[in-house]
Amino acid sequence: MVAILSLMVVMGFMMLGEWVSTRSRAYVPSVFITALLFLVGFWTIVPKNIVPAASFGTAFIQITQAVLLVHMGTLMDLKLLLKQWRAVVIALSGVVGTVVLTMGIGRLLFDWHTIVASVPPLTGGLVAAFLMTAGLKAQHITALVAFPVAMFVMHSMLGYPLTAWMLKRESRRLLQVRHVDVTVATADSATSATVQTTAQLPVCPLPTVPAKVKSVQPQLRHWQLPAAYDTSAFMLFKVAAVTGLAEWTAQLAHGTVNQYIICLVFGVIAHQLGFLEDAVLEKAGVFHWLMYGLLAYIFANLNIVKISMLSGILIPIVTLIVLGVLGMWIASSLLARPLGFSCEMAFASALTALFGFPADYIVTHEVTEIMGSTAEEKQYLLDQMLPKMLVGGFATVSVASVIIASIFLKIL
């Protein structure tokens, strides 16, 4: 009974977040509302262990995050992924801008330990927040333990809506560009047809294709089975195989490359080879369950945040957030035009440092669902924005944040 009630509450929080996002046309992202509900719930009547009680425990997450990243690889074309080096440069420049401004101006306003404990979560979201928290506990600097978690909570409240706003502005621009391209193409076709009619060109009947040729289906690749055997279990088996190979490769690399980046790359390769289908976990019917579980696990970490923590450190946290986001905006804006990005897209890519995966994926999808009026428009927006957001998030949260947190722990 406890497990079912826990699951009901967790999914209720997710549901309310989605409803608010839909009602606000993605100006208020679902992850922002869900985070607030978990935070207020932990402060009042929600048990601290509600997420593991709902079946989303440590073992579940160890499988989920790696498997989801392999799935992300099946959403991107390899050539498209390699083209996103500009998004990586812009996202990392945003991190540099954050560090420079907070360590520069912030050092004039607050003490050294406060700056060092608070800045890493601004460059890597949850990952850096808990690396710093663990490091502070290990060094017995208990007075600063609240800063990384409080920073994560506070900057998420700004990061989600700000990113959604940037992506909506970018969506409007992309749709205008697409509309102009379609209009020009239609006009060119009409002009061509008029010229042919005026010249009274002879019309030749097109050769007909025999019925047998029309009915020929593409041949199955040698590792794919007929549709009757291509079940959800078979898809999950293939995803697990690719994930296991990726994690084994990460172990051989001894942490030189983050294991989740390797999972993403292996997902892309398996997809390009035809071993994994497009959006494989969605076809297997388990994607949303895994995504909700990962989100719930992330929000469960808010159970250590108390009202007294936030009230006591509110001024330095808010000040550093403003400085950090301003640094992201300055750095990304400077590189936007030289690298062929709009200022909105560049800033959104840099903002992925505040939360990373899966929030960057969810916010982008929510915006495209709201801004696109047809399935073609939604897919067009997704193809244009999602690769930049995902790659930017991986560069900052999975790579840069780990390096920065490690350095900052040494200079405490």
Side-chain angles (χ1 to χ4, degrees):
M1 185 66 178
V2 172
I4 294 299
L5 290 176
S6 299
L7 180 63
M8 182 186 71
V9 172
V10 169
M11 298 313 297
F13 287 169
M14 301 287 180
M15 173 195 71
L16 291 173
E18 291 177 346
W19 285 3
V20 171
S21 176
T22 301
R23 184 67 177 175
S24 66
R25 294 184 58 82
Y27 276 112
V28 183
S30 64
V31 284
F32 171 66
I33 296 299
T34 304
L36 282 180
L37 290 172
F38 270 101
L39 192 61
V40 174
F42 288 138
W43 286 345
T44 52
I45 61 173
V46 174
K48 304 291 186 183
N49 66 337
I50 189 169
V51 171
S55 79
F56 305 125
T58 304
F60 176 86
I61 297 305
Q62 287 175 346
I63 296 172
T64 298
Q65 191 156 0
V67 165
L68 280 173
L69 287 169
V70 170
H71 168 81
M72 292 299 110
T74 68
L75 302 178
M76 290 182 284
D77 182 83
L78 182 58
K79 293 180 181 179
L80 186 63
L81 183 62
L82 294 176
K83 290 179 181 178
Q84 299 310 318
W85 65 268
R86 296 176 179 83
V88 173
V89 172
I90 287 177
L92 293 179
S93 72
V95 171
V96 173
T98 295
V99 174
V100 169
L101 219 59
T102 51
M103 296 293 287
I105 298 177
R107 185 67 183 89
L108 301 175
L109 304 174
F110 308 108
D111 66 88
W112 174 254
H113 285 152
T114 298
I115 299 292
V116 174
S118 304
V119 169
L122 264 175
T123 66
L126 188 63
V127 175
F130 282 91
L131 283 175
M132 290 303 298
T133 300
L136 290 167
K137 288 180 179 178
Q139 296 187 32
H140 305 290
I141 310 178
T142 56
L144 298 177
V145 168
F147 276 81
V149 181
M151 175 63 79
F152 168 71
V153 174
M154 295 297 294
H155 79 53
S156 296
M157 294 179 182
L158 173 64
Y160 295 150
L162 185 57
T163 304
W165 185 44
M166 289 294 108
L167 290 178
K168 292 191 77 170
R169 289 172 61 90
E170 176 67 1
S171 295
R172 291 192 188 95
R173 186 189 70 81
L174 289 171
L175 289 175
Q176 289 176 353
V177 171
R178 184 173 186 269
H179 178 71
V180 170
D181 291 342
V182 170
T183 302
V184 171
T186 303
D188 289 343
S189 299
T191 302
S192 176
T194 302
V195 170
Q196 286 188 348
T197 303
T198 303
Q200 295 183 349
L201 295 174
V203 179
C204 299
L206 294 175
T208 58
V209 181
K212 290 183 179 179
V213 176
K214 291 181 180 179
S215 63
V216 171
Q217 298 294 327
Q219 292 184 351
L220 292 174
R221 295 180 181 177
H222 63 275
W223 49 70
Q224 290 180 329
L225 298 179
Y229 298 95
D230 195 15
T231 63
S232 295
F234 180 55
M235 295 179 194
L236 290 173
F237 168 79
K238 291 191 293 183
V239 172
V242 173
T243 306
L245 182 61
E247 294 200 338
W248 177 69
T249 304
Q251 289 178 357
L252 292 180
H254 300 292
T256 305
V257 181
N258 186 276
Q259 64 171 334
Y260 297 131
I261 295 178
I262 295 178
C263 286
L264 174 70
V265 172
F266 272 52
V268 172
I269 294 173
H271 177 244
Q272 291 297 304
L273 294 176
F275 184 68
L276 294 180
E277 297 87 340
D278 296 335
V280 61
L281 292 182
E282 292 186 34
K283 291 184 177 178
V286 299
F287 172 74
H288 290 97
W289 176 255
L290 295 176
M291 184 64 78
Y292 287 136
L294 179 58
L295 278 175
Y297 182 81
I298 291 174
F299 293 137
N301 292 292
L302 298 175
N303 64 9
I304 68 172
V305 179
K306 297 180 174 59
I307 297 178
S308 58
M309 285 183 182
L310 295 180
S311 60
I313 58 180
L314 191 61
I315 293 178
I317 291 296
V318 171
T319 304
L320 291 174
I321 289 173
V322 172
L323 290 174
V325 172
L326 181 60
M328 286 183 186
W329 178 75
I330 293 173
S332 62
S333 297
L334 290 175
L335 289 178
R337 181 168 294 181
L339 293 180
F341 275 50
S342 67
C343 289
E344 291 83 1
M345 191 69 247
F347 191 26
S349 298
L351 285 169
T352 57
L354 299 181
F355 40 80
F357 178 82
D360 51 7
Y361 175 88
I362 293 172
V363 171
T364 307
H365 262 269
E366 288 181 347
V367 170
T368 57
E369 285 295 319
I370 294 297
M371 299 301 295
S373 56
T374 65
E376 290 77 13
E377 286 186 354
K378 292 175 183 178
Q379 190 60 49
Y380 170 74
L381 293 175
L382 208 59
D383 290 342
Q384 294 295 318
M385 298 191 299
L386 184 59
K388 298 179 178 68
M389 294 295 288
L390 288 177
V391 173
F394 292 134
T396 54
V397 175
S398 299
V399 181
S401 67
V402 177
I403 297 173
I404 291 173
S406 301
I407 294 173
F408 273 52
L409 283 171
K410 293 178 181 178
I411 61 176
L412 268 172

mmCIF file with all atom_site columns, all heavy atoms in Angstrom, residues 270-283:
data_model
loop_
_atom_site.group_PDB
_atom_site.id
_atom_site.type_symbol
_atom_site.label_atom_id
_atom_site.label_alt_id
_atom_site.label_comp_id
_atom_site.label_asym_id
_atom_site.label_entity_id
_atom_site.label_seq_id
_atom_site.pdbx_PDB_ins_code
_atom_site.Cartn_x
_atom_site.Cartn_y
_atom_site.Cartn_z
_atom_site.occupancy
_atom_site.B_iso_or_equiv
_atom_site.pdbx_formal_charge
_atom_site.auth_seq_id
_atom_site.auth_comp_id
_atom_site.auth_asym_id
_atom_site.auth_atom_id
_atom_site.pdbx_PDB_model_num
ATOM 1   N N   . ALA A 1 270 ? 25.332 2.693  -32.895 1.00 0.00 ? 270 ALA A N   1
ATOM 2   C CA  . ALA A 1 270 ? 24.413 1.571  -33.080 1.00 0.00 ? 270 ALA A CA  1
ATOM 3   C C   . ALA A 1 270 ? 23.215 1.966  -33.940 1.00 0.00 ? 270 ALA A C   1
ATOM 4   O O   . ALA A 1 270 ? 22.715 1.164  -34.737 1.00 0.00 ? 270 ALA A O   1
ATOM 5   C CB  . ALA A 1 270 ? 23.942 1.051  -31.717 1.00 0.00 ? 270 ALA A CB  1
ATOM 6   N N   . HIS A 1 271 ? 22.786 3.195  -33.796 1.00 0.00 ? 271 HIS A N   1
ATOM 7   C CA  . HIS A 1 271 ? 21.674 3.690  -34.607 1.00 0.00 ? 271 HIS A CA  1
ATOM 8   C C   . HIS A 1 271 ? 22.090 3.847  -36.065 1.00 0.00 ? 271 HIS A C   1
ATOM 9   O O   . HIS A 1 271 ? 21.351 3.484  -36.985 1.00 0.00 ? 271 HIS A O   1
ATOM 10  C CB  . HIS A 1 271 ? 21.193 5.026  -34.040 1.00 0.00 ? 271 HIS A CB  1
ATOM 11  C CG  . HIS A 1 271 ? 20.109 5.670  -34.831 1.00 0.00 ? 271 HIS A CG  1
ATOM 12  N ND1 . HIS A 1 271 ? 20.272 6.881  -35.478 1.00 0.00 ? 271 HIS A ND1 1
ATOM 13  C CD2 . HIS A 1 271 ? 18.841 5.269  -35.115 1.00 0.00 ? 271 HIS A CD2 1
ATOM 14  C CE1 . HIS A 1 271 ? 19.161 7.201  -36.103 1.00 0.00 ? 271 HIS A CE1 1
ATOM 15  N NE2 . HIS A 1 271 ? 18.272 6.248  -35.911 1.00 0.00 ? 271 HIS A NE2 1
ATOM 16  N N   . GLN A 1 272 ? 23.286 4.383  -36.295 1.00 0.00 ? 272 GLN A N   1
ATOM 17  C CA  . GLN A 1 272 ? 23.761 4.577  -37.655 1.00 0.00 ? 272 GLN A CA  1
ATOM 18  C C   . GLN A 1 272 ? 23.968 3.242  -38.378 1.00 0.00 ? 272 GLN A C   1
ATOM 19  O O   . GLN A 1 272 ? 23.760 3.138  -39.579 1.00 0.00 ? 272 GLN A O   1
ATOM 20  C CB  . GLN A 1 272 ? 25.082 5.362  -37.643 1.00 0.00 ? 272 GLN A CB  1
ATOM 21  C CG  . GLN A 1 272 ? 24.937 6.807  -37.204 1.00 0.00 ? 272 GLN A CG  1
ATOM 22  C CD  . GLN A 1 272 ? 24.071 7.615  -38.137 1.00 0.00 ? 272 GLN A CD  1
ATOM 23  O OE1 . GLN A 1 272 ? 24.332 7.685  -39.331 1.00 0.00 ? 272 GLN A OE1 1
ATOM 24  N NE2 . GLN A 1 272 ? 23.017 8.219  -37.610 1.00 0.00 ? 272 GLN A NE2 1
ATOM 25  N N   . LEU A 1 273 ? 24.374 2.221  -37.637 1.00 0.00 ? 273 LEU A N   1
ATOM 26  C CA  . LEU A 1 273 ? 24.579 0.895  -38.221 1.00 0.00 ? 273 LEU A CA  1
ATOM 27  C C   . LEU A 1 273 ? 23.274 0.142  -38.437 1.00 0.00 ? 273 LEU A C   1
ATOM 28  O O   . LEU A 1 273 ? 23.261 -0.927 -39.041 1.00 0.00 ? 273 LEU A O   1
ATOM 29  C CB  . LEU A 1 273 ? 25.504 0.066  -37.324 1.00 0.00 ? 273 LEU A CB  1
ATOM 30  C CG  . LEU A 1 273 ? 26.947 0.564  -37.193 1.00 0.00 ? 273 LEU A CG  1
ATOM 31  C CD1 . LEU A 1 273 ? 27.721 -0.292 -36.206 1.00 0.00 ? 273 LEU A CD1 1
ATOM 32  C CD2 . LEU A 1 273 ? 27.640 0.569  -38.557 1.00 0.00 ? 273 LEU A CD2 1
ATOM 33  N N   . GLY A 1 274 ? 22.173 0.696  -37.919 1.00 0.00 ? 274 GLY A N   1
ATOM 34  C CA  . GLY A 1 274 ? 20.880 0.043  -38.077 1.00 0.00 ? 274 GLY A CA  1
ATOM 35  C C   . GLY A 1 274 ? 20.570 -0.985 -37.023 1.00 0.00 ? 274 GLY A C   1
ATOM 36  O O   . GLY A 1 274 ? 19.550 -1.681 -37.090 1.00 0.00 ? 274 GLY A O   1
ATOM 37  N N   . PHE A 1 275 ? 21.446 -1.111 -36.010 1.00 0.00 ? 275 PHE A N   1
ATOM 38  C CA  . PHE A 1 275 ? 21.212 -2.092 -34.953 1.00 0.00 ? 275 PHE A CA  1
ATOM 39  C C   . PHE A 1 275 ? 20.092 -1.647 -34.021 1.00 0.00 ? 275 PHE A C   1
ATOM 40  O O   . PHE A 1 275 ? 19.311 -2.454 -33.529 1.00 0.00 ? 275 PHE A O   1
ATOM 41  C CB  . PHE A 1 275 ? 22.506 -2.311 -34.153 1.00 0.00 ? 275 PHE A CB  1
ATOM 42  C CG  . PHE A 1 275 ? 22.406 -3.373 -33.105 1.00 0.00 ? 275 PHE A CG  1
ATOM 43  C CD1 . PHE A 1 275 ? 22.254 -4.705 -33.448 1.00 0.00 ? 275 PHE A CD1 1
ATOM 44  C CD2 . PHE A 1 275 ? 22.465 -3.039 -31.757 1.00 0.00 ? 275 PHE A CD2 1
ATOM 45  C CE1 . PHE A 1 275 ? 22.164 -5.698 -32.474 1.00 0.00 ? 275 PHE A CE1 1
ATOM 46  C CE2 . PHE A 1 275 ? 22.369 -4.015 -30.775 1.00 0.00 ? 275 PHE A CE2 1
ATOM 47  C CZ  . PHE A 1 275 ? 22.219 -5.348 -31.138 1.00 0.00 ? 275 PHE A CZ  1
ATOM 48  N N   . LEU A 1 276 ? 20.025 -0.325 -33.762 1.00 0.00 ? 276 LEU A N   1
ATOM 49  C CA  . LEU A 1 276 ? 18.960 0.235  -32.928 1.00 0.00 ? 276 LEU A CA  1
ATOM 50  C C   . LEU A 1 276 ? 18.033 1.092  -33.782 1.00 0.00 ? 276 LEU A C   1
ATOM 51  O O   . LEU A 1 276 ? 18.494 1.870  -34.627 1.00 0.00 ? 276 LEU A O   1
ATOM 52  C CB  . LEU A 1 276 ? 19.546 1.083  -31.788 1.00 0.00 ? 276 LEU A CB  1
ATOM 53  C CG  . LEU A 1 276 ? 20.355 0.341  -30.727 1.00 0.00 ? 276 LEU A CG  1
ATOM 54  C CD1 . LEU A 1 276 ? 20.862 1.316  -29.668 1.00 0.00 ? 276 LEU A CD1 1
ATOM 55  C CD2 . LEU A 1 276 ? 19.542 -0.763 -30.065 1.00 0.00 ? 276 LEU A CD2 1
ATOM 56  N N   . GLU A 1 277 ? 16.748 0.970  -33.525 1.00 0.00 ? 277 GLU A N   1
ATOM 57  C CA  . GLU A 1 277 ? 15.753 1.722  -34.271 1.00 0.00 ? 277 GLU A CA  1
ATOM 58  C C   . GLU A 1 277 ? 15.731 3.184  -33.848 1.00 0.00 ? 277 GLU A C   1
ATOM 59  O O   . GLU A 1 277 ? 16.285 3.555  -32.813 1.00 0.00 ? 277 GLU A O   1
ATOM 60  C CB  . GLU A 1 277 ? 14.346 1.129  -34.050 1.00 0.00 ? 277 GLU A CB  1
ATOM 61  C CG  . GLU A 1 277 ? 14.181 -0.296 -34.541 1.00 0.00 ? 277 GLU A CG  1
ATOM 62  C CD  . GLU A 1 277 ? 14.585 -1.333 -33.515 1.00 0.00 ? 277 GLU A CD  1
ATOM 63  O OE1 . GLU A 1 277 ? 15.332 -0.986 -32.579 1.00 0.00 ? 277 GLU A OE1 1
ATOM 64  O OE2 . GLU A 1 277 ? 14.167 -2.492 -33.663 1.00 0.00 ? 277 GLU A OE2 1
ATOM 65  N N   . ASP A 1 278 ? 15.073 4.038  -34.632 1.00 0.00 ? 278 ASP A N   1
ATOM 66  C CA  . ASP A 1 278 ? 14.833 5.419  -34.222 1.00 0.00 ? 278 ASP A CA  1
ATOM 67  C C   . ASP A 1 278 ? 14.003 5.419  -32.943 1.00 0.00 ? 278 ASP A C   1
ATOM 68  O O   . ASP A 1 278 ? 13.025 4.678  -32.828 1.00 0.00 ? 278 ASP A O   1
ATOM 69  C CB  . ASP A 1 278 ? 14.053 6.182  -35.306 1.00 0.00 ? 278 ASP A CB  1
ATOM 70  C CG  . ASP A 1 278 ? 14.839 6.322  -36.600 1.00 0.00 ? 278 ASP A CG  1
ATOM 71  O OD1 . ASP A 1 278 ? 16.076 6.287  -36.538 1.00 0.00 ? 278 ASP A OD1 1
ATOM 72  O OD2 . ASP A 1 278 ? 14.207 6.466  -37.660 1.00 0.00 ? 278 ASP A OD2 1
ATOM 73  N N   . ALA A 1 279 ? 14.410 6.284  -31.977 1.00 0.00 ? 279 ALA A N   1
ATOM 74  C CA  . ALA A 1 279 ? 13.646 6.423  -30.722 1.00 0.00 ? 279 ALA A CA  1
ATOM 75  C C   . ALA A 1 279 ? 13.281 5.055  -30.154 1.00 0.00 ? 279 ALA A C   1
ATOM 76  O O   . ALA A 1 279 ? 12.124 4.757  -29.871 1.00 0.00 ? 279 ALA A O   1
ATOM 77  C CB  . ALA A 1 279 ? 12.393 7.260  -30.956 1.00 0.00 ? 279 ALA A CB  1
ATOM 78  N N   . VAL A 1 280 ? 14.277 4.231  -29.933 1.00 0.00 ? 280 VAL A N   1
ATOM 79  C CA  . VAL A 1 280 ? 14.054 2.811  -29.639 1.00 0.00 ? 280 VAL A CA  1
ATOM 80  C C   . VAL A 1 280 ? 13.245 2.582  -28.362 1.00 0.00 ? 280 VAL A C   1
ATOM 81  O O   . VAL A 1 280 ? 12.368 1.714  -28.323 1.00 0.00 ? 280 VAL A O   1
ATOM 82  C CB  . VAL A 1 280 ? 15.413 2.069  -29.584 1.00 0.00 ? 280 VAL A CB  1
ATOM 83  C CG1 . VAL A 1 280 ? 16.321 2.627  -28.493 1.00 0.00 ? 280 VAL A CG1 1
ATOM 84  C CG2 . VAL A 1 280 ? 15.209 0.569  -29.385 1.00 0.00 ? 280 VAL A CG2 1
ATOM 85  N N   . LEU A 1 281 ? 13.505 3.358  -27.315 1.00 0.00 ? 281 LEU A N   1
ATOM 86  C CA  . LEU A 1 281 ? 12.785 3.137  -26.057 1.00 0.00 ? 281 LEU A CA  1
ATOM 87  C C   . LEU A 1 281 ? 11.325 3.574  -26.157 1.00 0.00 ? 281 LEU A C   1
ATOM 88  O O   . LEU A 1 281 ? 10.463 3.038  -25.457 1.00 0.00 ? 281 LEU A O   1
ATOM 89  C CB  . LEU A 1 281 ? 13.478 3.863  -24.906 1.00 0.00 ? 281 LEU A CB  1
ATOM 90  C CG  . LEU A 1 281 ? 14.846 3.314  -24.508 1.00 0.00 ? 281 LEU A CG  1
ATOM 91  C CD1 . LEU A 1 281 ? 15.411 4.086  -23.314 1.00 0.00 ? 281 LEU A CD1 1
ATOM 92  C CD2 . LEU A 1 281 ? 14.773 1.827  -24.166 1.00 0.00 ? 281 LEU A CD2 1
ATOM 93  N N   . GLU A 1 282 ? 11.051 4.555  -26.998 1.00 0.00 ? 282 GLU A N   1
ATOM 94  C CA  . GLU A 1 282 ? 9.650  4.937  -27.223 1.00 0.00 ? 282 GLU A CA  1
ATOM 95  C C   . GLU A 1 282 ? 8.910  3.818  -27.950 1.00 0.00 ? 282 GLU A C   1
ATOM 96  O O   . GLU A 1 282 ? 7.763  3.513  -27.627 1.00 0.00 ? 282 GLU A O   1
ATOM 97  C CB  . GLU A 1 282 ? 9.587  6.239  -28.022 1.00 0.00 ? 282 GLU A CB  1
ATOM 98  C CG  . GLU A 1 282 ? 10.099 7.457  -27.254 1.00 0.00 ? 282 GLU A CG  1
ATOM 99  C CD  . GLU A 1 282 ? 9.887  8.748  -28.025 1.00 0.00 ? 282 GLU A CD  1
ATOM 100 O OE1 . GLU A 1 282 ? 8.879  8.851  -28.739 1.00 0.00 ? 282 GLU A OE1 1
ATOM 101 O OE2 . GLU A 1 282 ? 10.740 9.653  -27.917 1.00 0.00 ? 282 GLU A OE2 1
ATOM 102 N N   . LYS A 1 283 ? 9.566  3.205  -28.920 1.00 0.00 ? 283 LYS A N   1
ATOM 103 C CA  . LYS A 1 283 ? 8.942  2.083  -29.624 1.00 0.00 ? 283 LYS A CA  1
ATOM 104 C C   . LYS A 1 283 ? 8.757  0.886  -28.701 1.00 0.00 ? 283 LYS A C   1
ATOM 105 O O   . LYS A 1 283 ? 7.801  0.120  -28.844 1.00 0.00 ? 283 LYS A O   1
ATOM 106 C CB  . LYS A 1 283 ? 9.780  1.691  -30.836 1.00 0.00 ? 283 LYS A CB  1
ATOM 107 C CG  . LYS A 1 283 ? 9.762  2.729  -31.948 1.00 0.00 ? 283 LYS A CG  1
ATOM 108 C CD  . LYS A 1 283 ? 10.518 2.265  -33.175 1.00 0.00 ? 283 LYS A CD  1
ATOM 109 C CE  . LYS A 1 283 ? 10.414 3.298  -34.288 1.00 0.00 ? 283 LYS A CE  1
ATOM 110 N NZ  . LYS A 1 283 ? 11.166 2.908  -35.497 1.00 0.00 ? 283 LYS A NZ  1
#
